[in-house]
Amino acid sequence: MPMQATTTTPLFAAELTPHRALGAGRSWLAAALVLLIVAAPGLLLLSLDALAVAMLMGLTAICLAGGLYVSLRKGKRRELVTVWPEQIEWQVTDSAGATMLRRFDPVTTRLMLTRDAYEQTVAILLRDAAGTAELGSFLSPEDKSSFAKALGTALRRARS
């Protein structure tokens, strides 16, 4: 039996992934770790025991490895949003790799935007009878605004 090709295409499809640059707090942490690594050989000039110096250098290596692990793990997180004429699919993959799929009816679902005092988009919410879901919580305000505009256009097309 031949395979049947799908002739329908989604009205809108987007894959949302977090930005991988360091924030201000993590930049300070990285700078402190680099300073500690650079300063570690200088500890030899002090009257410390060689064992204490080796333990500090080992602690620094463990902290660097842990920081790299945590920062790379965040990159596995993603959200897939697909708008079809009859449904909206929201598939979330968390940093551990677990996937959750939720479907919305475009007729009964409302797109709600939360804005701050400067009219920047802070949150994108889909609300239906089952509850509220926040899309792209990790996006920047500019990315949230652009995504919300495109998603709103797709929802209007799905409702017509």
Side-chain angles (χ1 to χ4, degrees), residues 96-140:
T99 302
M100 178 200 62
L101 178 66
R102 186 166 171 193
R103 291 188 171 97
F104 299 90
D105 180 17
V107 176
T108 60
T109 302
R110 297 292 168 239
L111 177 65
M112 298 172 38
L113 302 179
T114 305
R115 298 186 186 269
D116 63 4
Y118 301 105
E119 291 299 317
Q120 290 186 331
T121 305
V122 177
I124 303 169
L125 305 168
L126 285 180
R127 186 180 66 172
D128 64 355
T132 304
E134 182 177 0
L135 305 177
S137 60
F138 47 79
L139 296 176
S140 68

Side-chain angles (χ1 to χ4, degrees), residues 39-53:
L43 293 175
L44 291 175
L45 298 176
L46 299 174
S47 63
L48 293 177
D49 187 23
L51 180 61
V53 172

Side-chain angles (χ1 to χ4, degrees), residues 43-97:
L43 293 175
L44 291 175
L45 298 176
L46 299 174
S47 63
L48 293 177
D49 187 23
L51 180 61
V53 172
M55 287 175 49
L56 286 174
M57 292 179 79
L59 180 64
T60 302
I62 290 170
C63 288
L64 280 174
L68 284 173
Y69 174 75
V70 168
S71 67
L72 291 175
R73 186 173 178 204
K74 183 179 117 175
K76 292 180 182 179
R77 184 175 175 193
R78 66 182 21 98
E79 294 181 12
L80 298 171
V81 180
T82 309
V83 179
W84 301 90
E86 64 278 349
Q87 71 180 355
I88 303 164
E89 290 181 352
W90 178 49
Q91 182 179 4
V92 179
T93 304
D94 63 7
S95 58

